[in-house]
Amino acid sequence: MADSMIEQAVATATQTNAIELGENALDAAGRLFAEQFPGRRVLVVADENTFAAAGGPVVASLEAAGVEFAEPPYLFPGVPTLYAGYENVEVLREHLAPLADTVVCSVAAGSLNDIAKLASGELGRPYLQVCTAASVDGYASFGASIAKDGFKITRNCPAPVAIVADVDVMAAAPARLTATGYGDLIEKVPAGADWILADELGVEAIDEYVWTLVQSTLRDALARPDLIGDGDRTEISKLAEANIMSGLSMQAMESSRPASGAGHQFSHVWEMEGHGLDWEPPLSHGFKVGIGTIASCAMWEAALELDPATIDVDRVVAAAPTADELARRCRQLLQPRIAEASLPQILAKHLTGDALRARIELIVDRWDAIRSRCAPQLLSPQDIMDRLRAVGAPHHPTMIGMDWERFRLTHFKVPLIRSRYTVVDMLSDLGAFEDVIEGLFAPDGFWGRHQTPDA
Ligand SMILES: [Zn+2]
C-alpha cells in the first residue's frame, strides 16, 4: 500500500517525475539520471560527510549508466557542519553556471539539498537528489529554506526531478539527523488539526487528495520512535517515506499548508531570530519544530476544553485590537525587519467589528464539528514529549537553548508572523488567547508542570 501511495503521488506530482525508495536504491541513481536528463552531463555535489556516506556508489551507478561527468565531484567541507546559507548557494551557482548542459546530482541531507535546489533553480536547471538521511520533509517540496543575513527565509524554486532514498544509507546516518526528521514529521499531527479548523471556518478548504498524501502514512511512521532511535531500518524507511510524502503534498498544493501549522511557526520565529544558527552543528529545523509541536498540542488541548458558546461576544469585539494596536504590538515583540515583513500578512487575517463578530459566531456554530474532527487528529502534548524523548530528540524548550521567559514570549510572537490560520488565531478571535497561555504556564498548567525536562 505504501509503495503504491508514493507511486500515485509521483504520478500526480508536477515537478518530481521519479522516486526510488528502498534497499539498494543508490544503484538506481545512474539509470534515473540518464532517463530524466538524456544527453546532459552530471556534476555530483556533496559535502565530505555525505560523499563518504553514499558518494562512491552514486558515482559508480552514474558511470555504469554511461552518464558523462562535467567534472569530478564538487565537495563542500565536512567540518564545520555545512549550513544552508545563501553564500553557499552563490558558491555552488557560480561553479555550476559555466558548466554547459550540466545537471546537479546532490548527495545530501537537508541543508545541502536546499543549497543545490536553490542554486539549480536560480539557473533554471533541474536536479536529482540522493537523500543521505531521513532528516527533513523538504526533499520533495518546492522552495528552499536558506539563511541570509543571519535569518532563515524560504525561497521559491522547483523540487527535484528525481529522488533517490536508500534505506541502508539513511539508517547509517548520524542519529541526530534521524531524530530531527521525526521532529519535522510529528508536527503534521497538529498541522492537520489546524487545517481542519481552517476548513470548518471556510478560511482554507481541505484538498482531500493532498490530505491523504500527508496523513495516510503519518501515524504508522510516528508509531515506534524507540525503534527509530535504535536505528531500525524498517522504521527509518517509514519515516523517510512519510517525510517525502509530506514534501509531495506541499508540491501538489504549492503551499506548505498540508505539512505546517502553528508548531512550525514556533520554529519560524526562532529561525527568523537566527536562534542556534551559529552553533556547531547548527540547531536543526526538526529539533525546533518538535518543541513547537509540544507547544501547539498544549494549546490545542486547552482550546478543546473551551466552550465558545459562553463567550461574551460584545466584550470580545469591543476589546479586540485595532489594526494600529496590532501593528504596535508587532513592532514591540518582533525585531524590526521581521515586523515589517510580517505586518502585511497578519493585517490580512486581522478581523474587527462585525467581521470579528461573524467569525466568533461561526466558531460557535461549528464548534461541535471542530471538536469531533480535531480531537481524533491530535495527540496530547505529553505524548509528543514522550515520543521526542524516545526518538532521541530534544523534548523540552531548555534542551534547544530556550530560556523560560523567551519560550513563553514566543507564544505571543507566533500569531504575529504569518497569515496562515491556526489554533492560535482561533484563540485570538475568541479573545481567549492570553488566558489560555497564562493557564498553560500557571503552576497546574501543562508548562507549569513541565518547567524542567522529564527524566
Ligand atoms: Zn518542516
Side-chain angles (χ1 to χ4, degrees):
M1 178 257 175
D3 278 340
S4 65
M5 270 310 298
I6 226 167
E7 281 166 21
Q8 188 188 347
V10 170
T12 57
T14 52
Q15 294 161 358
T16 302
N17 297 335
I19 295 179
E20 195 74 32
L21 168 76
E23 293 183 2
N24 305 317
L26 290 187
D27 298 344
R31 173 179 57 78
L32 282 186
F33 191 97
E35 282 171 6
Q36 297 296 327
F37 314 117
R40 309 289 281 274
R41 300 186 300 167
V42 67
L43 177 68
V44 173
V45 175
D47 68 44
E48 289 166 349
N49 303 320
T50 59
F51 194 82
V58 169
V59 168
S61 171
L62 289 161
E63 284 172 346
V67 177
E68 186 188 342
F69 286 67
E71 277 189 353
Y74 182 89
L75 299 189
F76 285 93
V79 179
T81 307
L82 186 69
Y83 96 112
Y86 192 71
E87 60 274 25
N88 287 323
V89 174
E90 291 177 312
V91 165
L92 179 57
R93 187 191 63 212
E94 294 314 307
H95 189 86
L96 179 61
L99 302 175
D101 296 326
T102 299
V103 168
V104 163
C105 169
S106 61
V107 180
S111 297
L112 181 52
N113 173 55
D114 276 339
I115 292 167
K117 188 190 289 187
L118 186 52
S120 297
E122 287 187 350
L123 294 173
R125 299 194 199 183
Y127 82 110
L128 182 149
Q129 163 64 16
V130 177
C131 310
T132 56
S135 53
V136 286
D137 67 14
Y139 291 125
S141 67
F142 88 121
S145 180
I146 292 288
K148 194 172 187 188
D149 304 326
F151 77 114
K152 280 229 174 182
I153 51 165
T154 300
R155 289 291 180 90
N156 284 343
C157 50
V161 168
I163 297 172
V164 172
D166 187 292
V167 174
D168 289 303
V169 172
M170 294 186 297
R176 68 178 171 81
L177 295 181
T178 309
T180 207
Y182 191 91
D184 203 7
L185 188 67
I186 202 168
E187 209 274 317
K188 284 51 166 153
V189 170
D194 287 329
W195 199 7
I196 291 170
L197 172 67
D199 183 64
E200 280 293 337
L201 299 181
V203 174
E204 202 170 349
I206 285 181
D207 178 315
E208 289 296 340
Y209 175 64
V210 172
W211 174 269
T212 304
L213 291 184
V214 64
Q215 296 288 334
S216 63
T217 57
L218 181 61
R219 304 282 155 171
D220 192 31
L222 294 172
R224 300 306 305 270
D226 49 336
L227 290 183
I228 295 175
D230 286 345
D232 183 275
R233 292 164 75 257
T234 305
E235 295 300 317
I236 288 175
S237 181
K238 287 185 202 169
L239 171 65
E241 178 188 54
N243 264 330
I244 288 173
M245 293 292 286
S246 295
L248 291 170
S249 76
M250 292 186 270
Q251 190 181 131
M253 198 78 182
E254 295 189 358
S255 155
S256 60
R257 166 57 98 172
S260 168
H264 258 80
Q265 291 175 349
F266 278 76
S267 165
H268 294 324
V269 167
W270 296 326
E271 281 166 5
M272 288 192 290
E273 292 173 346
H275 179 61
L277 267 188
D278 55 349
W279 297 5
E280 173 54 37
L283 178 58
S284 71
H285 173 69
F287 283 176
K288 286 170 281 194
V289 173
I291 300 302
T293 306
I294 306 171
S296 176
C297 287
M299 290 189 291
W300 261 114
E301 191 171 65
L304 292 187
E305 285 169 10
L306 297 176
D307 180 2
T310 63
I311 281 171
D312 180 342
V313 180
D314 291 332
R315 185 189 61 79
V316 172
V317 171
T322 63
D324 283 349
E325 285 164 351
L326 190 66
R328 208 173 309 129
R329 189 185 304 167
C330 194
R331 293 192 175 102
Q332 267 169 5
L333 278 175
L334 304 178
Q335 296 170 9
R337 63 184 174 186
I338 302 174
E340 294 319 310
S342 301
L343 263 174
Q345 294 215 39
I346 59 159
L347 290 175
K349 68 175 173 183
H350 179 238
L351 301 181
T352 55
D354 287 345
L356 177 57
R357 182 182 300 276
R359 168 66 58 74
I360 296 170
E361 285 166 358
L362 182 60
I363 295 171
V364 172
D365 184 52
R366 306 305 304 160
W367 190 241
D368 287 347
I370 291 167
R371 280 194 53 147
S372 65
R373 289 177 69 192
C374 289
Q377 168 68 24
L378 286 159
L379 297 172
S380 73
Q382 183 69 57
D383 193 354
I384 304 287
M385 204 177 242
D386 292 343
R387 291 181 192 227
L388 291 171
R389 182 176 45 237
V391 84
H395 49 90
H396 191 270
T398 54
M399 298 171 81
I400 58 162
M402 272 294 130
D403 73 55
W404 205 238
E405 180 54 17
R406 184 175 176 190
F407 175 60
R408 195 188 65 82
L409 255 187
T410 305
H411 289 72
F412 294 89
K413 297 176 184 178
V414 160
L416 301 177
I417 58 163
R418 287 281 201 284
S419 59
R420 177 158 305 154
Y421 197 89
T422 71
V423 61
V424 164
D425 301 293
M426 180 188 72
L427 292 171
S428 299
D429 285 343
L430 294 174
F433 182 69
E434 291 182 14
D435 285 350
V436 162
I437 304 307
E438 200 176 303
L440 289 173
F441 282 84
D444 61 342
F446 179 79
W447 287 116
R449 289 182 280 113
H450 289 94
Q451 293 207 28
T452 54
D454 291 346

